[in-house]
Amino acid sequence: MAVDILLGLQWGDEGKGKIIDFLAPQYDLIARFQGGPNAGHTLVINGEKTVLHTVPSGILQERPINIIGNGVVIDPITLQKEVEFLKSKGVDVGTRLLISKKAHLILPTHKILDAASEAAKGKEKIGSTLRGISPTYMDKTGRNGLRVGDILSSNFQDAYRQIREKHLRLLRLYDFEFSLPQEEQKWMEAIQYLRSLSLINSEYYINDALLQGKRLLAEGAQGTMLDIDFGTYPYVTSSTTIASGACSGLGIAPQKIREVIGIAKAYCTRVGGGPFPTELLDETGEQIRKKGNEFGSTTGRPRRCGWLDLPALRYACMLNGVTQIALTKSDVLNDFEYIDVCTEYNLAGNPSREIPYDICTANIQPVYTRLCGWKNDLRQFSTYDDLPETFLGYLRFIEDYLKIPVSMVSTGPEREKLLLKN
Ligand code: GDP
Ligand code: IMO
Ligand code: MG
């Protein structure tokens, strides 16, 4: 009985994929619990970069079985591409990838509805990845969705047509042009492909494995500040990205959870719209974007960049019950003379360490503590204790604020660039 959870503590893209790939040999099962192909999790192995959108990030290690859980929404077209790519790399997808029959399907019309809704919002748009995430979760909670298991039923075509009709009626509310036939044909072919993969009752599979003493790592997508309940609503995604989402997204009881590993960058980034108190709209922000290659793994959009926001990180640690932190991308700040860290907000004259309810409209001024830069190439160090003292001071500053250990430090995108604290 051992379940650990690994998830993002900021606005996504913290480097979850890299850390999962590194930790995967310690586990029997890696299971994605929410989100869909809005995610892009990057692994860099022997100089080769792989971006996974739906398949869990343990797939390129030999040991673990990878499960796409019931909380995930699946676009069969994206999944087919990913699986074909993995097969071409020699991965035995047939036995190493299992898919929950209760995961919901993203339909071609979900993607069109996503685009139509965003277009109608104009300047207020969320900045969605346009992968159909929100309309699919709306149909799930509205009890209209199609699930993976439904593709095995003889009624599938009828059920599909019924939802498609409903979506077409909804689309008439928007002044939005679209073309369906080509995408629909690809989707139907991908459904046929999906039928050939291993579709299971994952809640039973997982709980049986846990009873046998197997170890599971639950893989989060997006990040805590994009959570449907606790993120910067409405500028969020449509799923539960926090630790509790692993229970509902996999069918695991809460008392089975052991470690909650929170991933954070040494600074902050955000893609799409919405509040970002420490955002840097100046030369420094541009420098972080360039050095950190901060462009979306899924959409290629430039990521907004800013300093580390400790009140937001503390909030994320509280919501998730984080037991240890993996800090990524500190190497991006190698050349900086100084590093600012937000320790408090000034809310219209009042100091606060809490995320205000009205974060989207409040006048928030971040209050910074200025720390000395380490001016050292972190990539050259191979043990945690050998890291430069100025950098260790930076880590201690974060640990003291959060009262949580930084147990891992990532110093580059490559699998082996990870230092563990003793
Ligand atoms: P995820 O969505 O949380 O898995 O993160 P992404 O893969 O979308 O974005 C993280 C990006 O940073 C990817 O391009 C990674 O290869 C890269 N990356 C991860 N860790 C590090 C690190 O410690 N240093 C640097 N420079 N890049 C990193
Ligand atoms: P990973 O797992 C960063 C953002 C989008 C948008 C908002 C809503 O790679 O960290 P959606 O398509 O979900 O309706 O978009 O959420 N977003 C992400 N940002 N990383 C992600 O995933 C994201 N998934 C969604 O940019 O602002
Ligand atoms: Mg990503």
Side-chain angles (χ1 to χ4, degrees), residues 12-18 39-44 49 222 263 265 291-294 296-297 303 327-332 379 410-414 417:
D13 302 329
E14 297 91 347
K16 299 175 290 293
K18 182 213 149 139
H41 295 178
T42 313
L43 322 183
V44 180
K49 178 169 149 176
Q222 290 77 56
I263 316 296
K265 282 182 193 179
K291 296 231 174 218
N293 192 22
E294 293 296 356
S297 314
R303 295 177 184 143
L327 195 72
T328 60
K329 304 197 89 161
S330 304
D331 55 295
V332 171
R379 299 173 57 92
S410 171
T411 57
E414 302 86 2
K417 290 275 173 227

PDB file of all heavy atoms in Angstrom, residues 12-18 39-44 49 222 263 265 291-294 296-297 303 327-332 379 410-414 417, ligand 1:
ATOM      1  N   GLY A  12       1.537  25.261 -13.991  1.00  0.00           N
ATOM      2  CA  GLY A  12       1.875  24.240 -14.977  1.00  0.00           C
ATOM      3  C   GLY A  12       3.293  24.403 -15.516  1.00  0.00           C
ATOM      4  O   GLY A  12       3.984  25.385 -15.218  1.00  0.00           O
ATOM      5  N   ASP A  13       3.747  23.378 -16.253  1.00  0.00           N
ATOM      6  CA  ASP A  13       5.063  23.397 -16.906  1.00  0.00           C
ATOM      7  C   ASP A  13       6.224  23.530 -15.924  1.00  0.00           C
ATOM      8  O   ASP A  13       7.274  24.089 -16.257  1.00  0.00           O
ATOM      9  CB  ASP A  13       5.145  24.535 -17.956  1.00  0.00           C
ATOM     10  CG  ASP A  13       4.070  24.410 -19.011  1.00  0.00           C
ATOM     11  OD1 ASP A  13       3.679  23.264 -19.304  1.00  0.00           O
ATOM     12  OD2 ASP A  13       3.630  25.453 -19.532  1.00  0.00           O
ATOM     13  N   GLU A  14       6.056  23.003 -14.732  1.00  0.00           N
ATOM     14  CA  GLU A  14       7.103  23.114 -13.707  1.00  0.00           C
ATOM     15  C   GLU A  14       8.248  22.131 -13.961  1.00  0.00           C
ATOM     16  O   GLU A  14       9.296  22.222 -13.316  1.00  0.00           O
ATOM     17  CB  GLU A  14       6.506  22.847 -12.310  1.00  0.00           C
ATOM     18  CG  GLU A  14       5.438  23.847 -11.856  1.00  0.00           C
ATOM     19  CD  GLU A  14       4.025  23.403 -12.253  1.00  0.00           C
ATOM     20  OE1 GLU A  14       3.902  22.465 -13.076  1.00  0.00           O
ATOM     21  OE2 GLU A  14       3.067  24.007 -11.748  1.00  0.00           O
ATOM     22  N   GLY A  15       7.996  21.170 -14.860  1.00  0.00           N
ATOM     23  CA  GLY A  15       9.022  20.135 -15.110  1.00  0.00           C
ATOM     24  C   GLY A  15       8.597  18.793 -14.534  1.00  0.00           C
ATOM     25  O   GLY A  15       9.433  17.939 -14.234  1.00  0.00           O
ATOM     26  N   LYS A  16       7.280  18.600 -14.423  1.00  0.00           N
ATOM     27  CA  LYS A  16       6.741  17.359 -13.829  1.00  0.00           C
ATOM     28  C   LYS A  16       7.218  16.128 -14.599  1.00  0.00           C
ATOM     29  O   LYS A  16       7.632  15.132 -14.009  1.00  0.00           O
ATOM     30  CB  LYS A  16       5.194  17.404 -13.827  1.00  0.00           C
ATOM     31  CG  LYS A  16       4.622  18.550 -13.016  1.00  0.00           C
ATOM     32  CD  LYS A  16       3.120  18.643 -13.131  1.00  0.00           C
ATOM     33  CE  LYS A  16       2.609  19.093 -14.486  1.00  0.00           C
ATOM     34  NZ  LYS A  16       2.914  20.475 -14.852  1.00  0.00           N
ATOM     35  N   GLY A  17       7.138  16.213 -15.948  1.00  0.00           N
ATOM     36  CA  GLY A  17       7.502  15.072 -16.792  1.00  0.00           C
ATOM     37  C   GLY A  17       8.919  14.611 -16.519  1.00  0.00           C
ATOM     38  O   GLY A  17       9.183  13.418 -16.356  1.00  0.00           O
ATOM     39  N   LYS A  18       9.841  15.562 -16.434  1.00  0.00           N
ATOM     40  CA  LYS A  18      11.243  15.214 -16.210  1.00  0.00           C
ATOM     41  C   LYS A  18      11.421  14.478 -14.883  1.00  0.00           C
ATOM     42  O   LYS A  18      12.126  13.467 -14.812  1.00  0.00           O
ATOM     43  CB  LYS A  18      12.100  16.495 -16.220  1.00  0.00           C
ATOM     44  CG  LYS A  18      13.547  16.143 -16.045  1.00  0.00           C
ATOM     45  CD  LYS A  18      14.348  17.171 -15.300  1.00  0.00           C
ATOM     46  CE  LYS A  18      15.453  16.460 -14.553  1.00  0.00           C
ATOM     47  NZ  LYS A  18      16.736  17.140 -14.590  1.00  0.00           N
ATOM     48  N   ALA A  39      -1.975  19.145 -21.549  1.00  0.00           N
ATOM     49  CA  ALA A  39      -0.665  18.963 -20.924  1.00  0.00           C
ATOM     50  C   ALA A  39       0.396  18.682 -21.968  1.00  0.00           C
ATOM     51  O   ALA A  39       0.115  18.123 -23.023  1.00  0.00           O
ATOM     52  CB  ALA A  39      -0.732  17.782 -19.953  1.00  0.00           C
ATOM     53  N   GLY A  40       1.617  19.071 -21.642  1.00  0.00           N
ATOM     54  CA  GLY A  40       2.778  18.709 -22.455  1.00  0.00           C
ATOM     55  C   GLY A  40       3.906  18.440 -21.487  1.00  0.00           C
ATOM     56  O   GLY A  40       4.396  19.356 -20.838  1.00  0.00           O
ATOM     57  N   HIS A  41       4.273  17.183 -21.321  1.00  0.00           N
ATOM     58  CA  HIS A  41       5.299  16.815 -20.348  1.00  0.00           C
ATOM     59  C   HIS A  41       6.553  16.368 -21.097  1.00  0.00           C
ATOM     60  O   HIS A  41       6.523  15.406 -21.868  1.00  0.00           O
ATOM     61  CB  HIS A  41       4.775  15.700 -19.425  1.00  0.00           C
ATOM     62  CG  HIS A  41       3.620  16.144 -18.576  1.00  0.00           C
ATOM     63  ND1 HIS A  41       2.967  15.317 -17.702  1.00  0.00           N
ATOM     64  CD2 HIS A  41       3.018  17.354 -18.461  1.00  0.00           C
ATOM     65  CE1 HIS A  41       2.003  16.009 -17.083  1.00  0.00           C
ATOM     66  NE2 HIS A  41       2.016  17.244 -17.545  1.00  0.00           N
ATOM     67  N   THR A  42       7.647  17.088 -20.861  1.00  0.00           N
ATOM     68  CA  THR A  42       8.854  16.895 -21.669  1.00  0.00           C
ATOM     69  C   THR A  42       9.880  16.003 -20.970  1.00  0.00           C
ATOM     70  O   THR A  42      10.205  16.230 -19.804  1.00  0.00           O
ATOM     71  CB  THR A  42       9.519  18.265 -21.942  1.00  0.00           C
ATOM     72  OG1 THR A  42       8.502  19.175 -22.367  1.00  0.00           O
ATOM     73  CG2 THR A  42      10.615  18.163 -22.996  1.00  0.00           C
ATOM     74  N   LEU A  43      10.390  15.020 -21.708  1.00  0.00           N
ATOM     75  CA  LEU A  43      11.455  14.162 -21.213  1.00  0.00           C
ATOM     76  C   LEU A  43      12.650  14.333 -22.152  1.00  0.00           C
ATOM     77  O   LEU A  43      12.466  14.372 -23.371  1.00  0.00           O
ATOM     78  CB  LEU A  43      11.032  12.684 -21.207  1.00  0.00           C
ATOM     79  CG  LEU A  43       9.590  12.326 -20.816  1.00  0.00           C
ATOM     80  CD1 LEU A  43       9.431  10.810 -20.800  1.00  0.00           C
ATOM     81  CD2 LEU A  43       9.226  12.902 -19.473  1.00  0.00           C
ATOM     82  N   VAL A  44      13.836  14.463 -21.602  1.00  0.00           N
ATOM     83  CA  VAL A  44      15.036  14.561 -22.443  1.00  0.00           C
ATOM     84  C   VAL A  44      15.988  13.432 -22.053  1.00  0.00           C
ATOM     85  O   VAL A  44      16.532  13.421 -20.949  1.00  0.00           O
ATOM     86  CB  VAL A  44      15.724  15.938 -22.303  1.00  0.00           C
ATOM     87  CG1 VAL A  44      16.965  16.016 -23.193  1.00  0.00           C
ATOM     88  CG2 VAL A  44      14.756  17.069 -22.651  1.00  0.00           C
ATOM     89  N   LYS A  49      14.504  14.666 -27.225  1.00  0.00           N
ATOM     90  CA  LYS A  49      13.376  15.246 -26.491  1.00  0.00           C
ATOM     91  C   LYS A  49      12.069  14.571 -26.902  1.00  0.00           C
ATOM     92  O   LYS A  49      11.792  14.406 -28.085  1.00  0.00           O
ATOM     93  CB  LYS A  49      13.344  16.735 -26.855  1.00  0.00           C
ATOM     94  CG  LYS A  49      12.227  17.519 -26.243  1.00  0.00           C
ATOM     95  CD  LYS A  49      12.495  18.997 -26.467  1.00  0.00           C
ATOM     96  CE  LYS A  49      11.179  19.741 -26.601  1.00  0.00           C
ATOM     97  NZ  LYS A  49      11.353  21.177 -26.718  1.00  0.00           N
ATOM     98  N   GLN A 222      -1.066  20.027 -15.395  1.00  0.00           N
ATOM     99  CA  GLN A 222      -1.279  21.438 -15.076  1.00  0.00           C
ATOM    100  C   GLN A 222      -0.621  21.767 -13.726  1.00  0.00           C
ATOM    101  O   GLN A 222       0.385  21.173 -13.392  1.00  0.00           O
ATOM    102  CB  GLN A 222      -2.774  21.809 -15.076  1.00  0.00           C
ATOM    103  CG  GLN A 222      -3.408  21.813 -16.467  1.00  0.00           C
ATOM    104  CD  GLN A 222      -3.722  20.433 -17.021  1.00  0.00           C
ATOM    105  OE1 GLN A 222      -4.431  19.670 -16.391  1.00  0.00           O
ATOM    106  NE2 GLN A 222      -3.216  20.113 -18.189  1.00  0.00           N
ATOM    107  N   ILE A 263       6.196  20.039  -7.398  1.00  0.00           N
ATOM    108  CA  ILE A 263       7.223  20.546  -8.320  1.00  0.00           C
ATOM    109  C   ILE A 263       7.035  22.046  -8.499  1.00  0.00           C
ATOM    110  O   ILE A 263       5.915  22.509  -8.760  1.00  0.00           O
ATOM    111  CB  ILE A 263       7.128  19.871  -9.710  1.00  0.00           C
ATOM    112  CG1 ILE A 263       6.916  18.359  -9.585  1.00  0.00           C
ATOM    113  CG2 ILE A 263       8.367  20.173 -10.552  1.00  0.00           C
ATOM    114  CD1 ILE A 263       8.029  17.610  -8.957  1.00  0.00           C
ATOM    115  N   LYS A 265       9.143  25.649 -10.185  1.00  0.00           N
ATOM    116  CA  LYS A 265      10.317  26.255 -10.813  1.00  0.00           C
ATOM    117  C   LYS A 265      10.944  27.227  -9.822  1.00  0.00           C
ATOM    118  O   LYS A 265      10.255  27.705  -8.905  1.00  0.00           O
ATOM    119  CB  LYS A 265       9.884  27.073 -12.044  1.00  0.00           C
ATOM    120  CG  LYS A 265       9.595  26.246 -13.254  1.00  0.00           C
ATOM    121  CD  LYS A 265       9.216  27.122 -14.433  1.00  0.00           C
ATOM    122  CE  LYS A 265       8.638  26.230 -15.518  1.00  0.00           C
ATOM    123  NZ  LYS A 265       8.194  26.925 -16.705  1.00  0.00           N
ATOM    124  N   LYS A 291      16.469  32.404 -21.579  1.00  0.00           N
ATOM    125  CA  LYS A 291      17.379  31.412 -20.948  1.00  0.00           C
ATOM    126  C   LYS A 291      16.627  30.132 -20.616  1.00  0.00           C
ATOM    127  O   LYS A 291      17.190  29.038 -20.696  1.00  0.00           O
ATOM    128  CB  LYS A 291      17.964  31.978 -19.658  1.00  0.00           C
ATOM    129  CG  LYS A 291      18.827  33.180 -19.912  1.00  0.00           C
ATOM    130  CD  LYS A 291      20.185  33.027 -19.248  1.00  0.00           C
ATOM    131  CE  LYS A 291      21.060  34.185 -19.666  1.00  0.00           C
ATOM    132  NZ  LYS A 291      22.393  33.931 -19.897  1.00  0.00           N
ATOM    133  N   GLY A 292      15.371  30.272 -20.206  1.00  0.00           N
ATOM    134  CA  GLY A 292      14.600  29.099 -19.799  1.00  0.00           C
ATOM    135  C   GLY A 292      13.858  28.464 -20.954  1.00  0.00           C
ATOM    136  O   GLY A 292      13.125  27.501 -20.752  1.00  0.00           O
ATOM    137  N   ASN A 293      14.020  29.041 -22.163  1.00  0.00           N
ATOM    138  CA  ASN A 293      13.303  28.554 -23.336  1.00  0.00           C
ATOM    139  C   ASN A 293      11.821  28.390 -22.994  1.00  0.00           C
ATOM    140  O   ASN A 293      11.229  27.335 -23.189  1.00  0.00           O
ATOM    141  CB  ASN A 293      13.922  27.229 -23.803  1.00  0.00           C
ATOM    142  CG  ASN A 293      13.409  26.826 -25.166  1.00  0.00           C
ATOM    143  OD1 ASN A 293      12.934  27.679 -25.924  1.00  0.00           O
ATOM    144  ND2 ASN A 293      13.459  25.544 -25.475  1.00  0.00           N
ATOM    145  N   GLU A 294      11.248  29.449 -22.472  1.00  0.00           N
ATOM    146  CA  GLU A 294       9.890  29.386 -21.953  1.00  0.00           C
ATOM    147  C   GLU A 294       8.847  29.590 -23.056  1.00  0.00           C
ATOM    148  O   GLU A 294       8.268  30.673 -23.216  1.00  0.00           O
ATOM    149  CB  GLU A 294       9.706  30.393 -20.801  1.00  0.00           C
ATOM    150  CG  GLU A 294      10.518  30.046 -19.550  1.00  0.00           C
ATOM    151  CD  GLU A 294      10.110  28.716 -18.882  1.00  0.00           C
ATOM    152  OE1 GLU A 294       9.153  28.071 -19.325  1.00  0.00           O
ATOM    153  OE2 GLU A 294      10.764  28.330 -17.899  1.00  0.00           O
ATOM    154  N   GLY A 296       5.518  27.270 -24.758  1.00  0.00           N
ATOM    155  CA  GLY A 296       4.665  26.137 -24.398  1.00  0.00           C
ATOM    156  C   GLY A 296       5.019  24.834 -25.106  1.00  0.00           C
ATOM    157  O   GLY A 296       5.278  24.833 -26.315  1.00  0.00           O
ATOM    158  N   SER A 297       4.999  23.714 -24.345  1.00  0.00           N
ATOM    159  CA  SER A 297       5.298  22.394 -24.919  1.00  0.00           C
ATOM    160  C   SER A 297       4.139  21.883 -25.771  1.00  0.00           C
ATOM    161  O   SER A 297       4.318  21.005 -26.601  1.00  0.00           O
ATOM    162  CB  SER A 297       5.542  21.375 -23.806  1.00  0.00           C
ATOM    163  OG  SER A 297       6.385  21.883 -22.830  1.00  0.00           O
ATOM    164  N   ARG A 303       5.706  31.731 -22.836  1.00  0.00           N
ATOM    165  CA  ARG A 303       5.169  31.734 -21.476  1.00  0.00           C
ATOM    166  C   ARG A 303       5.478  33.077 -20.816  1.00  0.00           C
ATOM    167  O   ARG A 303       6.560  33.630 -21.016  1.00  0.00           O
ATOM    168  CB  ARG A 303       5.801  30.608 -20.660  1.00  0.00           C
ATOM    169  CG  ARG A 303       5.450  29.219 -21.171  1.00  0.00           C
ATOM    170  CD  ARG A 303       6.171  28.141 -20.365  1.00  0.00           C
ATOM    171  NE  ARG A 303       5.913  26.812 -20.904  1.00  0.00           N
ATOM    172  CZ  ARG A 303       6.827  25.827 -20.950  1.00  0.00           C
ATOM    173  NH1 ARG A 303       8.034  26.022 -20.478  1.00  0.00           N
ATOM    174  NH2 ARG A 303       6.510  24.655 -21.453  1.00  0.00           N
ATOM    175  N   LEU A 327      12.689  21.338  -6.888  1.00  0.00           N
ATOM    176  CA  LEU A 327      12.844  22.664  -7.489  1.00  0.00           C
ATOM    177  C   LEU A 327      13.544  22.521  -8.832  1.00  0.00           C
ATOM    178  O   LEU A 327      14.619  21.903  -8.912  1.00  0.00           O
ATOM    179  CB  LEU A 327      13.665  23.568  -6.556  1.00  0.00           C
ATOM    180  CG  LEU A 327      13.595  25.059  -6.878  1.00  0.00           C
ATOM    181  CD1 LEU A 327      12.225  25.638  -6.509  1.00  0.00           C
ATOM    182  CD2 LEU A 327      14.686  25.833  -6.141  1.00  0.00           C
ATOM    183  N   THR A 328      12.930  23.043  -9.881  1.00  0.00           N
ATOM    184  CA  THR A 328      13.487  22.886 -11.228  1.00  0.00           C
ATOM    185  C   THR A 328      13.955  24.236 -11.776  1.00  0.00           C
ATOM    186  O   THR A 328      13.567  25.292 -11.284  1.00  0.00           O
ATOM    187  CB  THR A 328      12.435  22.308 -12.195  1.00  0.00           C
ATOM    188  OG1 THR A 328      11.327  23.201 -12.240  1.00  0.00           O
ATOM    189  CG2 THR A 328      11.959  20.924 -11.756  1.00  0.00           C
ATOM    190  N   LYS A 329      14.783  24.160 -12.788  1.00  0.00           N
ATOM    191  CA  LYS A 329      15.170  25.295 -13.616  1.00  0.00           C
ATOM    192  C   LYS A 329      15.939  26.406 -12.909  1.00  0.00           C
ATOM    193  O   LYS A 329      15.983  27.536 -13.391  1.00  0.00           O
ATOM    194  CB  LYS A 329      13.938  25.855 -14.351  1.00  0.00           C
ATOM    195  CG  LYS A 329      13.225  24.789 -15.188  1.00  0.00           C
ATOM    196  CD  LYS A 329      12.290  25.329 -16.216  1.00  0.00           C
ATOM    197  CE  LYS A 329      12.970  25.607 -17.537  1.00  0.00           C
ATOM    198  NZ  LYS A 329      12.049  25.716 -18.667  1.00  0.00           N
ATOM    199  N   SER A 330      16.550  26.083 -11.747  1.00  0.00           N
ATOM    200  CA  SER A 330      17.394  27.099 -11.081  1.00  0.00           C
ATOM    201  C   SER A 330      18.535  27.502 -12.000  1.00  0.00           C
ATOM    202  O   SER A 330      19.013  28.643 -11.945  1.00  0.00           O
ATOM    203  CB  SER A 330      17.996  26.539  -9.792  1.00  0.00           C
ATOM    204  OG  SER A 330      16.998  26.071  -8.951  1.00  0.00           O
ATOM    205  N   ASP A 331      18.998  26.556 -12.849  1.00  0.00           N
ATOM    206  CA  ASP A 331      20.113  26.845 -13.760  1.00  0.00           C
ATOM    207  C   ASP A 331      19.799  28.004 -14.704  1.00  0.00           C
ATOM    208  O   ASP A 331      20.707  28.674 -15.185  1.00  0.00           O
ATOM    209  CB  ASP A 331      20.464  25.594 -14.579  1.00  0.00           C
ATOM    210  CG  ASP A 331      19.247  25.041 -15.315  1.00  0.00           C
ATOM    211  OD1 ASP A 331      18.311  24.607 -14.634  1.00  0.00           O
ATOM    212  OD2 ASP A 331      19.241  25.072 -16.561  1.00  0.00           O
ATOM    213  N   VAL A 332      18.505  28.281 -14.910  1.00  0.00           N
ATOM    214  CA  VAL A 332      18.112  29.393 -15.788  1.00  0.00           C
ATOM    215  C   VAL A 332      18.567  30.724 -15.179  1.00  0.00           C
ATOM    216  O   VAL A 332      18.822  31.702 -15.877  1.00  0.00           O
ATOM    217  CB  VAL A 332      16.577  29.349 -16.002  1.00  0.00           C
ATOM    218  CG1 VAL A 332      16.068  30.587 -16.717  1.00  0.00           C
ATOM    219  CG2 VAL A 332      16.198  28.080 -16.764  1.00  0.00           C
ATOM    220  N   ARG A 379      24.880  23.397 -13.555  1.00  0.00           N
ATOM    221  CA  ARG A 379      24.878  22.134 -14.310  1.00  0.00           C
ATOM    222  C   ARG A 379      26.141  21.310 -14.067  1.00  0.00           C
ATOM    223  O   ARG A 379      26.167  20.121 -14.311  1.00  0.00           O
ATOM    224  CB  ARG A 379      24.737  22.421 -15.810  1.00  0.00           C
ATOM    225  CG  ARG A 379      23.451  23.141 -16.164  1.00  0.00           C
ATOM    226  CD  ARG A 379      23.461  23.547 -17.625  1.00  0.00           C
ATOM    227  NE  ARG A 379      23.655  22.398 -18.481  1.00  0.00           N
ATOM    228  CZ  ARG A 379      22.691  21.667 -19.004  1.00  0.00           C
ATOM    229  NH1 ARG A 379      21.434  21.992 -18.772  1.00  0.00           N
ATOM    230  NH2 ARG A 379      22.944  20.637 -19.761  1.00  0.00           N
ATOM    231  N   SER A 410      16.659  20.192  -9.763  1.00  0.00           N
ATOM    232  CA  SER A 410      16.913  19.880 -11.164  1.00  0.00           C
ATOM    233  C   SER A 410      17.767  20.997 -11.748  1.00  0.00           C
ATOM    234  O   SER A 410      17.462  22.178 -11.569  1.00  0.00           O
ATOM    235  CB  SER A 410      15.571  19.768 -11.889  1.00  0.00           C
ATOM    236  OG  SER A 410      15.779  19.676 -13.267  1.00  0.00           O
ATOM    237  N   THR A 411      18.845  20.611 -12.429  1.00  0.00           N
ATOM    238  CA  THR A 411      19.762  21.639 -12.942  1.00  0.00           C
ATOM    239  C   THR A 411      19.862  21.628 -14.473  1.00  0.00           C
ATOM    240  O   THR A 411      20.790  22.184 -15.040  1.00  0.00           O
ATOM    241  CB  THR A 411      21.178  21.424 -12.350  1.00  0.00           C
ATOM    242  OG1 THR A 411      21.598  20.094 -12.694  1.00  0.00           O
ATOM    243  CG2 THR A 411      21.193  21.596 -10.848  1.00  0.00           C
ATOM    244  N   GLY A 412      18.911  20.969 -15.114  1.00  0.00           N
ATOM    245  CA  GLY A 412      18.906  20.944 -16.574  1.00  0.00           C
ATOM    246  C   GLY A 412      17.781  20.051 -17.046  1.00  0.00           C
ATOM    247  O   GLY A 412      17.221  19.283 -16.256  1.00  0.00           O
ATOM    248  N   PRO A 413      17.417  20.122 -18.332  1.00  0.00           N
ATOM    249  CA  PRO A 413      16.292  19.317 -18.825  1.00  0.00           C
ATOM    250  C   PRO A 413      16.580  17.815 -18.874  1.00  0.00           C
ATOM    251  O   PRO A 413      15.656  17.008 -18.874  1.00  0.00           O
ATOM    252  CB  PRO A 413      16.057  19.842 -20.241  1.00  0.00           C
ATOM    253  CG  PRO A 413      17.196  20.720 -20.592  1.00  0.00           C
ATOM    254  CD  PRO A 413      17.965  21.040 -19.346  1.00  0.00           C
ATOM    255  N   GLU A 414      17.843  17.430 -18.907  1.00  0.00           N
ATOM    256  CA  GLU A 414      18.192  16.013 -19.113  1.00  0.00           C
ATOM    257  C   GLU A 414      17.855  15.167 -17.889  1.00  0.00           C
ATOM    258  O   GLU A 414      17.937  15.635 -16.763  1.00  0.00           O
ATOM    259  CB  GLU A 414      19.686  15.876 -19.419  1.00  0.00           C
ATOM    260  CG  GLU A 414      20.153  16.660 -20.626  1.00  0.00           C
ATOM    261  CD  GLU A 414      20.511  18.110 -20.301  1.00  0.00           C
ATOM    262  OE1 GLU A 414      20.438  18.494 -19.117  1.00  0.00           O
ATOM    263  OE2 GLU A 414      20.826  18.871 -21.244  1.00  0.00           O
ATOM    264  N   LYS A 417      20.192  15.190 -14.871  1.00  0.00           N
ATOM    265  CA  LYS A 417      20.489  16.461 -14.184  1.00  0.00           C
ATOM    266  C   LYS A 417      19.536  16.658 -13.007  1.00  0.00           C
ATOM    267  O   LYS A 417      18.643  17.522 -13.024  1.00  0.00           O
ATOM    268  CB  LYS A 417      20.374  17.637 -15.168  1.00  0.00           C
ATOM    269  CG  LYS A 417      21.461  17.666 -16.206  1.00  0.00           C
ATOM    270  CD  LYS A 417      22.697  18.359 -15.674  1.00  0.00           C
ATOM    271  CE  LYS A 417      23.857  18.263 -16.632  1.00  0.00           C
ATOM    272  NZ  LYS A 417      25.099  17.872 -16.015  1.00  0.00           N
TER     273      LYS A 417
HETATM  274  P1  GDP B   1       5.670  19.844 -17.336  1.00  0.00           P
HETATM  275  O1  GDP B   1       4.446  20.184 -18.097  1.00  0.00           O
HETATM  276  O2  GDP B   1       5.558  20.204 -15.883  1.00  0.00           O
HETATM  277  O3  GDP B   1       6.122  18.429 -17.508  1.00  0.00           O
HETATM  278  O4  GDP B   1       6.829  20.776 -17.910  1.00  0.00           O
HETATM  279  P2  GDP B   1       7.126  21.053 -19.472  1.00  0.00           P
HETATM  280  O5  GDP B   1       7.766  19.878 -20.051  1.00  0.00           O
HETATM  281  O6  GDP B   1       5.929  21.614 -20.154  1.00  0.00           O
HETATM  282  O7  GDP B   1       8.115  22.277 -19.357  1.00  0.00           O
HETATM  283  C1  GDP B   1       9.319  22.204 -18.668  1.00  0.00           C
HETATM  284  C2  GDP B   1      10.453  22.556 -19.652  1.00  0.00           C
HETATM  285  O8  GDP B   1      11.638  22.782 -18.905  1.00  0.00           O
HETATM  286  C3  GDP B   1      10.780  21.437 -20.595  1.00  0.00           C
HETATM  287  O9  GDP B   1      11.261  21.974 -21.792  1.00  0.00           O
HETATM  288  C4  GDP B   1      11.887  20.673 -19.864  1.00  0.00           C
HETATM  289  O10 GDP B   1      12.736  19.947 -20.754  1.00  0.00           O
HETATM  290  C5  GDP B   1      12.632  21.796 -19.215  1.00  0.00           C
HETATM  291  N1  GDP B   1      13.254  21.495 -17.916  1.00  0.00           N
HETATM  292  C6  GDP B   1      12.826  20.668 -16.917  1.00  0.00           C
HETATM  293  N2  GDP B   1      13.644  20.779 -15.847  1.00  0.00           N
HETATM  294  C7  GDP B   1      14.600  21.675 -16.174  1.00  0.00           C
HETATM  295  C8  GDP B   1      15.711  22.220 -15.461  1.00  0.00           C
HETATM  296  O11 GDP B   1      15.998  21.933 -14.305  1.00  0.00           O
HETATM  297  N3  GDP B   1      16.457  23.157 -16.135  1.00  0.00           N
HETATM  298  C9  GDP B   1      16.189  23.540 -17.409  1.00  0.00           C
HETATM  299  N4  GDP B   1      16.964  24.459 -17.975  1.00  0.00           N
HETATM  300  N5  GDP B   1      15.136  23.035 -18.098  1.00  0.00           N
HETATM  301  C10 GDP B   1      14.364  22.132 -17.482  1.00  0.00           C
END
